[in-house]
Amino acid sequence: MAKQLFEWDYAGFPGAKTYPHLFKPIQIGNLIIPNRIKYAATEENLNGRDGFVTDAGVAYMRERAKGVVGGLCFMQGVYMDEKRQGQGYVGQAACWDDKFIPGLKRIADAIHDAKAVAGFQLMDCGRVGAVDVEYGHGPSAVPQRLRIFRPIKEMTKEEIKEMIQQHIDAARRGIAAGFDVMEISGIVGYLVSNFISKYTNRRTDEYGGDIRGRMQAVVEIIQGVKAVCGPDIPVGIRLCAEELLDDVRGNTPEESMETYKIAEEAGVDYISVTLGWQESIYPVISRDIPMGNWIHLAKRAKEHVKVPVQMAYRLFRPDLPNKAIGAGELDIWEMCRSMIADPLMPKKVLEGKEDEIRHCVACNLCLARLFRDAPMTCYINPVCAHETNPEFTDPPPAQEPKEIMIVGAGPAGLECAYMAARRGHEVHVYDKRDTLGGTLNEARKAPYGDDELWTCVEYQKKMCEMAGVTFHLGSEVTEETIEDQMPDAVVLATGPVYPELPGGPHQNVVNLLDVMRGTAQVGEKVVIWGNRKPGIGCALHLARQGKQVTLVGREKTAGFDVNPSFKWRYLIYLRQNGVKVYNDCDIERVTPEGILIRTYDGYRIPVACHTIVNSDRVANEALKKAVQSEGIELFVIGDALVPRNLSSAVHDGYRIGMRI
Amino acid sequence: MAFDAEKEIGKVLRGLRAAQAEIGKTYYRWRQVALELAEDGVDPLQVGLRAAERFGKDIGKSMLPRLHWLKGEAAFLLNLGRAMAGLWNVDGGVATAEKGEKPTEVFIKCTRDPWPTWAKEFGVSMKEVALCREKMLKSVLEDVSIFFNIPLDLEVQKAIPRGEGMWLIRLYKKEE
Ligand SMILES: Cc1cc2nc3c(=O)[nH]c(=O)nc-3n(C[C@H](O)[C@H](O)[C@H](O)COP(=O)(O)O)c2cc1C
Ligand code: SF4
């Protein structure tokens, strides 16, 4: 008999009317899940280096559990071997001994407190593992493509049997900890997918060979885990629908579909569709990939198996899964990053508060941090990984309400504004532009998905409205304005300034913002000065208009300010668009023909061009003295303090808003 | 005949950068071989120091034909300092030599050193990077001192063998 763990009634909620397919129940194995929402397993590096669950990890999960409004909430994949070859992240939760059960139980309990269904994930990171030991393990010793990963030792048959048993034992511990659903992770090049792929499995024994042989270890894992889970705890698996490893002769999509059928035969109760490997040269989840790009893979999966099919991958808007579920192409909407960025995302959808969602901008900083052994951080959500700290989650009211003048309605100013207003301050935001958003108005025009960055401003605008912030747009703040208003505190969020190029004003030098706005005259051959993200965005914008573009800058690599999990995309796009790049260089002089650049070690290169676009930024000193000389409390945030990126603007704004 | 200066310089520079990138890697690959062939229990630092000594002596000998005493002691020391700074520059680093307060001293300043990055890639400790650099430079001085009959020495005043590295070295004539 199928059972439901918690009662939920969505009938009175507006989201259930707008997205009816998301808020109807589904049966998985013998469990009824009240809706179609799942927070997918997510490493966050918040556990101890010894694999024990921490308060930070529990608090992180507690927030996400509230978000799924009764749906599935999965904890991160656990590693299962004492030798730690399966451990892919320094702060990954462990489950190789019963001693980990009490900590894991805290997570299951936190999920249940929110009346959500608690999911446990078994994840041996295989080729991407061994983060703290010398060698990783795998079906065959295929060298690593990416140097950051450890060399692999081929597993003996005994070791394979041991690994299968480790999955079974860990599943038993997960059940003992109180989890309701069991999942085997075969995602992005971890051990399960290493066995399945012909790229990494070159064995000739019963664990290798054709697709059935390569699935043998997986089948034994499924059967063993099913046996300990019994009829009441559904078992699912995450499997690649497309490996995107054609360049190294990985599996074909047909073979991948075969793995779905074999997993179903072996007894899984659902399949979660994944794609791509860490080692694949194709992007899958970065901002340059349109939302909903991969949903056809769920449809394909549904054509091959009968068990419910779940999928994530850039499904950042509820209309996409709602439509797919309605059309019978998907059963459950999985989310990872949307709920890193806003833990309550699906709850807000249900409550009809979509304009209150802080949207993920698909920058992959969260991932990049994990690979650098750092705790998770979100580019756009300053609270992420600070869930234990009430100062972050619920900043206390200001002890002494103040009148605050915020100069600049860009992301830094807006973030600070709503936070300060929420805490009881009277907040006035000024901007000389007559629109909100500051330089993001121009930045969003860069190609490859940057328009999505604008969601940040939309969210902030809504938050400001709700908090009662007063806007003074089209109104430039001068020293006199400050003298007249005499606020209690001033926050300068004025954005950066663009210093002149060497040799004084030049006729053929234009500003980045004018170029992005389309108000500057730009010749056919263009040099962009500044190889950080704004320069890259502009270079790609112009190259796509057919201009011949050269990017020159002081940073050692272009996109120094972009996290490595996204930067590689820009480097490829620069190449594809024929942009020539000179890193680690300065402009020695502007010449009548173009510029003379100087490498860090003194070599000079003439670069001919018609136009030079200046994207180099420095801190903005304007108004600082005026504020200080009046004895007014002063804060400087965002690019006005140090030119960085959108994330720094948001984080600066939030933190000052919390403190002021 | 018209030519595209940017293209030609660019080509040369790309070649130079590729060659520079191989310098450290080649050194550390050989270090690996030496350690593999060495007896069990050999201290990798001792192997590194031996190599540094060998490199330094050889480089010192190659400097002899280029150094001269024609403009006196201060100029001699400055030229030697520049030649030593040049060892970083050919590897892709940035280093200069400047006169000190006394005519018998010169400061070699390296503001960018590619070796720590290479070492990190091969799992070599930063302590080894620093000690080997010091050993190599001291070994350069051995034959130079004898040949020109001037007692030379150096002291490492600052060594930050991390990231892009940073060095300050005082090269001086020892008091008799
Ligand atoms: C920071 C981070 C950690 C992740 N950790 C796991 C994990 O532990 N297990 C797993 O199966 N997938 C993991 N994933 C993959 C996600 O569950 C998800 O499938 C993927 O991010 C695509 O969904 P999205 O576009 O909603 O983010 C992780 C992804 C991210 C970004
Ligand atoms: S770090 Fe970037 S990709 Fe990750 S959740 Fe936050 S906004 Fe999304």
Side-chain angles (χ1 to χ4, degrees), chain A residues 167-179:
Chain A
H167 278 76
I168 298 166
D169 293 342
R172 181 182 51 74
R173 293 184 188 112
I175 298 165
F179 286 88

Side-chain angles (χ1 to χ4, degrees), chain A residues 316 336-338 340-341 359-367 377-381:
Chain A
F316 287 4
C336 167
R337 291 168 303 156
S338 327
I340 296 176
H359 284 282
C360 165
V361 295
C363 67
N364 290 347
L365 174 68
C366 44
L367 271 179
T377 292
C378 175
Y379 189 87
I380 209 80
N381 173 11

Side-chain angles (χ1 to χ4, degrees), chain A residues 166-244:
Chain A
Q166 284 161 358
H167 278 76
I168 298 166
D169 293 342
R172 181 182 51 74
R173 293 184 188 112
I175 298 165
F179 286 88
D180 315 306
V181 182
M182 199 56 61
E183 186 170 271
I184 299 156
S185 184
I187 198 170
V188 294
Y190 295 147
L191 192 67
V192 162
S193 46
N194 301 159
F195 269 91
I196 298 172
S197 180
K198 59 177 180 270
Y199 161 48
T200 41
N201 186 343
R202 318 269 170 96
R203 299 180 80 94
T204 50
D205 61 11
E206 67 267 37
Y207 291 111
D210 66 6
I211 190 66
R212 285 216 167 248
R214 302 202 299 277
M215 274 295 281
Q216 183 55 33
V218 186
V219 167
E220 290 179 32
I221 292 173
I222 295 170
Q223 289 170 342
V225 170
K226 276 290 287 181
V228 291
C229 285
D232 292 338
I233 296 185
V235 176
I237 189 163
R238 300 193 94 178
L239 285 177
C240 251
E242 281 190 13
E243 292 185 333
L244 304 178

Side-chain angles (χ1 to χ4, degrees), chain A residues 574-585:
Chain A
L574 287 169
R575 213 175 319 132
Q576 281 176 356
N577 285 284
V579 176
K580 218 186 290 170
V581 183
Y582 290 102
N583 299 317
D584 226 349
C585 290

Side-chain angles (χ1 to χ4, degrees), chain A residues 147 525 550 554 556 580 582 584 597 599-608, chain B residues 5-7 9-10 13 16-17 20 25 89 92-94 112 117 121-122 164:
Chain A
R147 283 187 84 118
K525 274 189 166 183
T550 304
R554 290 195 192 99
K556 243 180 152 177
K580 218 186 290 170
Y582 290 102
D584 226 349
I597 63 181
T599 65
Y600 74 91
D601 49 353
Y603 298 97
R604 286 177 298 174
I605 310 166
V607 180
Chain B
E6 182 192 350
K7 204 168 165 183
I9 298 171
L13 258 185
L16 173 68
R17 297 289 181 239
Q20 283 172 331
K25 290 187 189 169
N89 294 333
V94 177
R112 184 152 161 172
T117 311
E121 208 175 295
F122 286 82
E164 293 193 335

Side-chain angles (χ1 to χ4, degrees), chain B residues 89-153:
Chain B
N89 294 333
V90 290
D91 294 350
V94 177
T96 53
E98 288 161 20
K99 284 183 192 160
E101 278 178 13
K102 295 188 212 153
T104 54
E105 68 180 10
V106 160
F107 285 92
I108 302 164
K109 206 188 267 180
C110 169
T111 50
R112 184 152 161 172
D113 179 5
W115 284 86
T117 311
W118 290 326
K120 195 171 161 207
E121 208 175 295
F122 286 82
V124 176
S125 77
M126 294 301 133
K127 177 179 158 200
E128 183 174 326
V129 175
L131 292 177
C132 288
R133 173 61 61 166
E134 182 185 31
K135 181 77 184 170
M136 184 182 92
L137 294 177
K138 283 198 172 206
S139 306
V140 167
L141 297 183
E142 280 179 25
D143 279 6
V144 177
S145 291
I146 298 169
F147 188 84
F148 288 99
N149 197 17
I150 170 173
L152 295 168
D153 203 354

Side-chain angles (χ1 to χ4, degrees), chain A residues 500-541:
Chain A
E500 258 177 26
L501 265 56
H506 303 278
Q507 247 187 337
N508 47 352
V509 178
V510 294
N511 181 272
L512 165 91
L513 300 178
D514 295 328
V515 175
M516 298 308 280
R517 274 183 216 125
T519 54
Q521 284 283 337
V522 179
E524 275 319 292
K525 274 189 166 183
V526 194
V527 163
I528 316 266
W529 167 235
N531 57 350
R532 291 189 171 211
K533 169 70 206 334
I536 293 176
C538 184
L540 293 171
H541 175 71

